[in-house]
Amino acid sequence: MPARSLLVVLCSLAILLAPATRAWGQSDLEKENAELKARVTKLEADLALAVERIKALSEENSRLRKMAGQPAKKPDGPGAGGAAPGPGRSSPASILALLKAEYAAKLAPLPRDSKADQLKFQREAAQWAAEAEKAHSGDVRWHIRLSGPPQTSPRGTALTGDLLDAPGGTVIEPGVDLIVPSRFGRSITLEPAQKEWTLAGTVRVQPRIDMKRADDASGAPGSAPLVGPFVEFRYEFNATEVTKPEPAKKP
């Protein structure tokens, strides 16, 4: 083959191959950028979860020091700059806040585009829900200020009111509905002038997967709030003791 013809063939091949090479390089770069963005999103969510845990530990530290008569120690690290106490088990809303932080770190980054993605999401969500139930269920001591008279319920006595951070304290969650055994309900009913009560018992946290609920608007009226897309927040409170709050000790 003459040298000129060979040169023409080689140039033609170079022209044909060059766009494909450039296209592959661009696609590879876009894929790498997407992976980096996903990693950054997960790291940001992990940081948010760590901040919430630090706040929760700070709240517990303050409570224990108060019981021991020691001044509360300010926490170190992210979120320590005078931030409000973080979520724990002080109310259903505080539990929900903690679950939302965990959801953001563990489930929110997962893709849900394809059917395979959705199946994987359901598996991961179910595993997380089981872990969350073990981690966040436990003993509680809630202080409620009733906003109306107790109501008879098939499951016991229904109470509606605001949860307080302490007897006679600040409202931390308004408009909470709780069920207590009828034997406690009778005691409350006999003292209508007594508005504040201390409820001791256990709370069982039960996140529930529902792939039909992408947002709060997708549920029927009265549906459980969402921890995040496709995960409902459910819990069960079991009262073991209902008493009048102890009067605050004078300093």
Side-chain angles (χ1 to χ4, degrees):
M1 179 181 293
R4 184 175 180 181
S5 299
L6 180 59
L7 181 60
V8 170
V9 171
L10 291 175
C11 290
S12 300
L13 287 173
I15 292 172
L16 290 172
L17 292 175
T21 302
R22 286 195 299 271
W24 178 88
Q26 181 67 22
S27 174
D28 190 57
L29 182 60
E30 290 175 353
K31 181 179 179 181
E32 185 176 356
N33 285 340
E35 291 176 351
L36 288 173
K37 287 180 180 178
R39 288 171 61 187
V40 169
T41 299
K42 186 177 186 305
L43 288 173
E44 289 175 343
D46 288 343
L47 177 60
L49 178 58
V51 170
E52 293 297 340
R53 286 178 173 169
I54 289 171
K55 290 178 181 178
L57 289 173
S58 173
E59 181 185 46
E60 184 67 8
N61 169 65
S62 298
R63 186 181 70 82
L64 293 175
R65 285 177 175 270
K66 185 176 180 180
M67 291 174 60
Q70 300 179 20
K73 182 181 178 181
K74 292 184 178 180
D76 299 322
R89 283 200 295 264
S90 58
S91 69
S94 67
I95 299 172
L96 176 57
L98 186 55
L99 294 180
K100 282 179 176 287
E102 292 187 0
Y103 181 101
K106 298 181 180 180
L107 298 181
L110 297 178
R112 298 187 295 270
D113 300 325
S114 67
K115 190 171 183 179
D117 289 339
Q118 293 173 14
L119 290 174
K120 181 179 179 181
F121 175 85
Q122 290 184 63
R123 289 194 299 269
E124 295 287 342
Q127 180 179 348
W128 168 78
E131 293 172 353
E133 180 175 344
K134 291 181 180 179
H136 304 304
S137 299
D139 295 337
V140 295
R141 194 172 187 83
W142 290 344
H143 308 285
I144 189 170
R145 180 187 294 141
L146 299 179
S147 57
Q151 301 293 324
T152 301
S153 163
R155 295 167 48 207
T157 299
L159 306 178
T160 299
D162 302 331
L163 290 187
L164 312 176
D165 60 352
T170 304
V171 175
I172 56 176
E173 183 174 353
V176 176
D177 296 317
L178 298 173
I179 302 291
V180 299
S182 298
R183 65 182 185 277
F184 297 138
R186 285 191 290 270
S187 299
I188 296 174
T189 303
L190 290 174
E191 298 191 62
Q194 179 68 37
K195 299 301 182 183
E196 289 191 19
W197 295 86
T198 297
L199 314 178
T202 59
V203 64
R204 183 181 178 188
V205 180
Q206 299 172 302
R208 179 176 175 271
I209 316 302
D210 186 347
M211 295 304 291
K212 295 181 181 179
R213 291 198 63 193
D215 51 46
D216 284 309
S218 60
S223 296
L226 290 181
V227 177
F230 311 114
V231 179
E232 291 182 335
F233 172 56
R234 294 176 180 268
Y235 71 93
E236 181 180 301
F237 171 67
N238 294 304
T240 56
E241 183 182 26
V242 175
T243 59
K244 297 178 185 179
E246 297 179 1
K249 295 181 180 180
K250 295 182 179 180

